[in-house]
Amino acid sequence: MSNNTITLTGVAATEPRHLVTADGLQISSFRLASTPRRFDSAEKKWNDGDTNWFTVTAYRQLATNAAESIKKGDRVLVSGSVRVREWESEESKGTTVEVEADAMGHDLTWGTTQLTRQPHKADAASEPPTI
Amino acid sequence: MSNNTITLTGVAATEPRHLVTADGLQISSFRLASTPRRFDSAEKKWNDGDTNWFTVTAYRQLATNAAESIKKGDRVLVSGSVRVREWESEESKGTTVEVEADAMGHDLTWGTTQLTRQPHKADAASEPPTI
Amino acid sequence: MSNNTITLTGVAATEPRHLVTADGLQISSFRLASTPRRFDSAEKKWNDGDTNWFTVTAYRQLATNAAESIKKGDRVLVSGSVRVREWESEESKGTTVEVEADAMGHDLTWGTTQLTRQPHKADAASEPPTI
Amino acid sequence: MSNNTITLTGVAATEPRHLVTADGLQISSFRLASTPRRFDSAEKKWNDGDTNWFTVTAYRQLATNAAESIKKGDRVLVSGSVRVREWESEESKGTTVEVEADAMGHDLTWGTTQLTRQPHKADAASEPPTI
């Protein structure tokens, strides 16, 4: 089990980068800007909170379809799990917050979509990635 | 706060029904069939579990866009909250399990989508419905 | 994958029933009343919504510990997945809405808890049940 | 709306720090180590994945009760929303991944708990914090 589940909405802040590993695994990732709405009890209205930034990563068929579908600026809905990774290079170090997507789509709150079905290997996609 | 949050994927088993109340509130709803994959420890493989049936309901702009976008048979991703309602008529009684959607989209695990943005009243959509 | 994930809070409306199957599988279940708070835009305040009723079911060590810990009236937090089951007997038929718990605990919003650790077979509990 | 919802389990890796602001707002926070279990298709078994680290923060009554209840090493279940914050001081910069808890409790998968109810101001706790 993944141990954490997250669902979030936001704006794709970059075009998805798509690559295929030497083993044939498709991977796509893009940056997502997610801005909460907060209710201000004093002013009795909703305001924008601070934007949270995530790297969204998808694998296999979802990676390929997301790369073909999602453009910079699109509103999306993503569900999956969070990975927090510390990294260190010779010059610098930092933290990456990654959402590994189990499913995602354009958020219909903000537009309409036309679907084109793609061939799908059900078994491969239903198993957790083993990378 | 909604007190429960659910995220689910499945197949739209009906076309969305769309209506506008006398007060001008847009409402759409459709039936969603959601079939889990379960890992069989004995057989060491993933099998289909029993299908769970939900009524998905959306309000406002999300209702209008969902009704225009989602067709029977489409794979979708929905996030929102669950309402369990007991109902009783003269002849019969039963239980309805409704997911009130905060966001939804075509699930890109199964296809690609082309987005058309729609005008959006941010404030109205961000507030919880007051029906 | 479970295909749906739900997290909810509410009040245990019954004492947990605990049983062990002939195969040695521990199962506990209780009824949970979950009442949302809704923001009323007109009145500019939070009100109670209609209560949603769920049957919460747990397996294995979680079942045993829940049965020992949770009393009728306790506030709890549950995460897991929803199963919607239609049933029919000779006299009647209906729908059961069950949350199969992956984890749960007393909700610390409403009280303090003292923990007693219990021996745990990690592998068994981490695998999805195969019932 | 919070725009993201997360539910996670893990081990409290520090004792909660508890403070009260000049305005009387109670805040508690602790570090949570959350280690996923991943299914290895080749080996056909579950393995530990890499640990994800989060700072869990709670406000108001939940903060006070969590600080009294949770000890370093306890297994907990948390639901809330994620905030990703970039920070910079004169000497250094970094990223903090914070889960703002709406509810939390000891995870009954790993032990039993005894509850002591605490007086509760329902309205205050039900509103989103306005900090």
Side-chain angles (χ1 to χ4, degrees), chain B residues 1-9 34-39 41 46 52 82-85 97 100 127, chain C residues 1-9 34-38 41 46 52 82-85 97 100 127 130:
Chain B
M1 264 172 293
S2 114
N3 223 3
N4 79 60
T5 58
I6 189 171
T7 299
L8 72 172
T9 57
S34 178
T35 307
R37 304 274 297 165
R38 296 187 160 273
F39 185 73
S41 296
W46 293 84
N52 297 300
V82 178
R83 296 177 179 187
V84 182
R85 293 288 170 266
V97 186
E100 186 179 315
E127 283 182 31
Chain C
M1 265 171 293
S2 114
N3 224 6
N4 80 59
T5 58
I6 189 170
T7 299
L8 71 172
T9 57
S34 178
T35 307
R37 305 273 297 165
R38 297 188 159 273
S41 296
W46 293 85
N52 298 302
V82 178
R83 295 178 181 186
V84 182
R85 293 288 171 267
V97 186
E100 186 180 314
E127 283 183 28
T130 54

Side-chain angles (χ1 to χ4, degrees), chain D residues 48-113:
Chain D
D48 277 356
D50 293 326
T51 297
N52 297 301
W53 290 87
F54 298 90
T55 298
V56 175
T57 305
Y59 297 93
R60 297 194 175 86
Q61 191 64 45
L62 178 57
T64 304
N65 293 344
E68 282 182 36
S69 304
I70 294 171
K71 311 293 175 210
K72 185 177 165 177
D74 288 358
R75 294 266 179 176
V76 295
L77 166 65
V78 179
S79 78
S81 54
V82 178
R83 295 178 182 186
V84 182
R85 292 287 170 267
E86 313 286 337
W87 53 267
E88 196 164 348
S89 68
E90 276 181 37
E91 294 105 51
S92 178
K93 61 181 183 176
T95 304
T96 306
V97 186
E98 195 174 86
V99 175
E100 186 179 317
D102 290 328
M104 73 171 108
H106 281 116
D107 182 356
L108 295 173
T109 310
W110 301 88
T112 53
T113 50

